Amino acid sequence: MTAVKLTLSVLAVLLVLAVALPFVRKPYWWVRMFDFPRAQIAAAAVVVLVLFGVVHVGFAEPGGVEWAIMGLLALATAYEVWRMLPYTRLAGVQTLDADGAAEGRSFRLVISNVLMENRDGERWLETVRAEDPDLVVAVETDAWWAETAGALKDRLPHAVELPQDDTYGMCLYSRLELEDVEVRHLVEDEVPSLWVLARLPGGDRVRFVFLHPRPPRPDIAQDSTLRDAELVLAARDIVDFDEPVVVAGDLNDVAWSYTTGLFQKKADLLDPRVGRGLFATFHAQHRWLRYPLDHVFHSDDFALVGLKRLGDVGSDHFPIAIELALDESKRPLQEAPDADSADDEEAAEMVEDAAAFKEEESEEEAEERKAADV
């Protein structure tokens, strides 16, 4: 019984630490990694809390230390549940449902991280075509994937193809006419983002921004400095657009993290998942370790027609399909979260940290980091 008590105490302390670490506003991978498994941590904390209570209350008189551990674990559990609550149907939605898509004022978008080494192109094409989207954006596209995905041009003739062999390739295929196409490298020369202006059939123009920033990676001790800066820099430009805006892509961050929340605030965008579900897209092969890494955010000009996660396409990510409709009547009823002065300071610090990182990184270290992507 002593060993059981000790084991439960250690597990409880570790879970409390896992909840507490993300409060540290630092880009270290061993801090940022705990942004991801909040649902898993909450589930584990509930189990340990129940067992801890049974063992210490049911079979012995708990002392002050045991009561303190139980109290901290209960608070940690409640906090994790509170952070996850917006991505359940118990919360109110940020994006209202469309009353009905007006003719020529809606579009369907599919976003997909294809996994560069995945070669199940036919299954991917079949899944995408079944959605009959107006736009498809694929990331991690090398030359093979650009050639394979190019088969979509029979339906989606307007294409921008940026194949790369380092997992940062990106391809866009569109039925909508693209009036303005710009490839930006916000932080790194090898990490592109795609900014396009598209015209809907009804004549409205929509600004699309597609992102795939560098992820934090425990396997090579890569922190989140560059990812965080890219999101902040993108948000600074997005908020100044006059046209309706849609931002999509694999952001290598979860919806409930501070960084993604900061991006959403600074860009003044809505999250259609809020009040509807997690829509966890990664990891496709691990049911109990899935997180929402693939995102769609939009300005308050849109209402939601439909949102769903698509099936397995051989990648470690599931694709996401979304249909949005322009509806000005919903604009005063939808409100994006606002950034405060602390958020502004944090955003500025993230950009400064990335600049310092790039300046201090040696040429050899940069080459090693890039080699790890291949």
Side-chain angles (χ1 to χ4, degrees):
M1 184 60 71
T2 300
V4 171
K5 290 180 179 179
L6 180 60
T7 300
L8 288 173
S9 295
V10 170
L11 288 174
V13 171
L14 290 175
L15 287 166
V16 170
L17 287 174
V19 174
L21 271 174
F23 283 98
V24 179
R25 302 292 187 216
K26 295 297 181 181
Y28 310 134
W29 67 264
W30 51 271
V31 172
R32 297 277 64 88
M33 66 183 287
F34 291 106
D35 282 328
F36 290 69
R38 290 194 183 274
Q40 291 83 356
I41 291 172
V46 168
V47 172
V48 172
L49 185 60
V50 170
L51 292 175
F52 196 96
V54 169
V55 169
H56 284 278
V57 178
F59 294 93
E61 181 66 30
V65 172
E66 286 77 17
W67 280 116
I69 291 174
M70 279 194 290
L72 288 172
L73 187 56
L75 285 174
T77 305
Y79 176 76
E80 294 291 75
V81 171
W82 175 74
R83 289 299 300 265
M84 301 299 299
L85 192 63
Y87 304 94
T88 72
R89 293 186 180 275
L90 298 176
V93 299
Q94 277 187 8
T95 304
L96 297 176
D97 290 321
D99 299 325
E103 184 69 27
R105 305 199 75 202
S106 66
F107 65 88
R108 283 190 294 276
L109 166 68
V110 170
I111 62 172
S112 177
N113 181 320
V114 298
L115 183 64
M116 190 173 70
E117 58 265 32
N118 174 26
R119 290 298 180 253
D120 201 348
E122 286 304 315
R123 179 160 50 149
W124 183 82
L125 286 169
E126 182 180 353
T127 300
V128 169
R129 283 172 170 152
E131 295 303 310
D132 191 26
D134 298 294
L135 304 100
V136 175
V137 62
V139 300
E140 287 202 24
T141 47
D142 58 6
W144 185 92
W145 268 105
E147 182 179 356
T148 299
L152 295 172
K153 293 177 185 176
D154 60 345
R155 299 186 187 183
L156 310 172
H158 306 286
V160 182
E161 296 173 320
L162 307 169
Q164 296 183 192
D165 61 1
D166 59 359
T167 75
Y168 294 105
M170 184 179 295
C171 292
L172 169 66
Y173 303 94
S174 174
R175 181 179 290 124
L176 308 178
E177 181 182 351
L178 305 179
E179 298 186 349
D180 184 22
V181 176
E182 183 180 3
V183 179
R184 299 188 187 182
H185 299 84
L186 296 173
V187 178
E188 303 174 83
D189 292 341
E190 64 272 16
V191 180
S193 57
L194 186 56
W195 305 60
V196 304
L197 189 63
R199 185 177 292 275
L200 300 184
D204 298 286
R205 300 163 72 191
V206 177
R207 181 74 61 175
F208 290 91
V209 178
F210 302 114
L211 302 171
H212 184 212
R214 180 180 296 278
R217 286 180 55 180
D219 59 327
I220 57 172
Q222 178 172 282
D223 66 23
S224 67
T225 299
L226 300 178
R227 179 204 67 186
D228 299 347
E230 179 163 346
L231 293 178
V232 168
L233 290 170
R236 287 180 175 178
D237 289 343
I238 289 164
V239 75
D240 291 331
F241 286 134
D242 295 325
E243 308 90 359
V245 179
V246 176
V247 180
D250 172 8
L251 302 191
N252 281 308
D253 198 12
V254 286
W256 50 80
S257 81
Y258 174 78
T259 309
T260 295
L262 179 63
F263 165 77
Q264 188 184 352
K265 291 176 184 178
K266 295 291 290 181
D268 195 25
L269 300 175
L270 301 169
D271 185 347
R273 291 165 299 192
V274 171
R276 293 187 172 91
L278 291 178
F279 297 91
T281 56
F282 175 90
H283 194 288
Q285 278 71 56
H286 302 298
R287 180 179 297 274
W288 303 110
L289 287 173
R290 286 182 181 167
Y291 318 111
L293 300 190
D294 300 270
H295 305 254
V296 180
F297 297 101
H298 62 86
S299 58
D300 60 8
D301 307 274
F302 296 97
L304 183 68
V305 179
L307 172 64
K308 62 180 177 179
R309 188 183 72 186
L310 305 183
D312 186 359
V313 293
S315 172
D316 51 355
H317 289 245
F318 295 106
I320 285 281
I322 187 169
E323 184 171 359
L324 294 168
L326 284 169
D327 187 346
E328 290 80 1
S329 69
K330 296 290 194 294
R331 189 179 295 153
L333 307 175
Q334 303 181 135
E335 186 175 357
D338 293 323
D340 57 24
S341 58
D343 293 324
D344 295 337
E345 292 175 6
E346 188 72 29
E349 184 176 338
M350 287 177 177
V351 175
E352 292 171 1
D353 287 347
F357 175 88
K358 294 287 289 180
E359 184 175 343
E360 295 170 5
E361 185 180 44
S362 69
E363 185 175 335
E364 182 178 349
E365 289 172 332
E367 289 304 317
E368 289 176 356
R369 176 167 53 81
K370 295 171 186 177
D373 295 326
V374 179

